[in-house]
Amino acid sequence: MVLGRPGMKTATMVLAGLYMLYLAWRIATARPIGSGEQGSHRPSFLGGFALAIANPKAYAAIGSLYVGSLVEAEQGAYTTAAKVLVLAIVAVTVNTTWLAFGAAIAAVLRDPRKARIANIVFALLLLLSLAPLLISSPLER
C-alpha cells in the first residue's frame, strides 16, 4: 500500500491521533517528581544525553526542517552552508530555551499539587496542538 492513498493517510492520522491521546493521558496522570517512589534517583548527565540522542521527536522535527528546505545542486556551497548554519542556530536556540524552561519550573514540579496541575496543563497543551489538524478541511490534508 502506498502512503499517498487517502485511506492510508487517514489511517496514519487516526493512529497518530490515538498515540497523542495516549501520551496526553500518560502526561496528565504521571506521578509528580519525588512522590516517594522507591528507587527513584536523579538522572545522570549521561542518561539525559543518551535520551536526547535517541529522541525520535527530535529527529522528526529536524527531518521536517530538512524536507522543507532542500538543497539543490545549483544553489552552491554558500547557500548550503547558510541553510546548515540557520538550522544549527534554530536547534541551539530551541534546546537552550527548553533547558532554561525546565530549570525554571523544576522547583514547581517538586510540589505534588503544583506538579499535578502542570501535568494536566501540559497534557491539554498537547491536545490543543492537534486542533489545527482536526479543524482543517479534508481537501487541505
Side-chain angles (χ1 to χ4, degrees):
M1 229 177 193
V2 178
L3 188 60
R5 291 186 180 168
M8 188 65 159
K9 189 173 186 179
T10 301
T12 303
M13 288 174 54
V14 168
L15 288 174
L18 289 173
Y19 180 66
M20 294 299 256
L21 287 172
Y22 167 76
L23 286 179
W25 175 256
R26 292 294 307 252
I27 291 168
T29 60
R31 289 178 144 168
I33 296 172
S35 61
E37 299 170 7
Q38 290 294 336
S40 67
H41 63 282
R42 185 179 205 158
S44 68
F45 172 80
L46 187 57
F49 184 73
L51 178 63
I53 289 175
N55 186 347
K57 293 180 298 235
Y59 289 109
I62 290 171
S64 67
L65 285 173
Y66 275 114
V67 168
S69 180
L70 294 177
V71 176
E72 297 178 17
E74 64 271 1
Q75 288 180 330
Y78 291 119
T79 303
T80 302
K83 287 182 178 185
V84 170
L85 180 63
V86 167
L87 179 61
I89 290 169
V90 168
V92 168
T93 302
V94 167
N95 287 325
T96 303
T97 303
W98 187 244
L99 176 67
F101 176 73
I105 68 165
V108 171
L109 296 179
R110 284 189 175 77
D111 178 330
R113 184 175 175 275
K114 291 177 183 175
R116 174 65 55 216
I117 292 168
N119 285 352
I120 291 170
V121 168
F122 292 147
L124 290 173
L125 287 172
L126 177 59
L127 293 176
L128 186 63
S129 74
L130 296 173
L133 178 66
L134 297 174
I135 61 176
S136 68
S137 74
L139 296 176
E140 293 175 7
R141 294 186 213 154

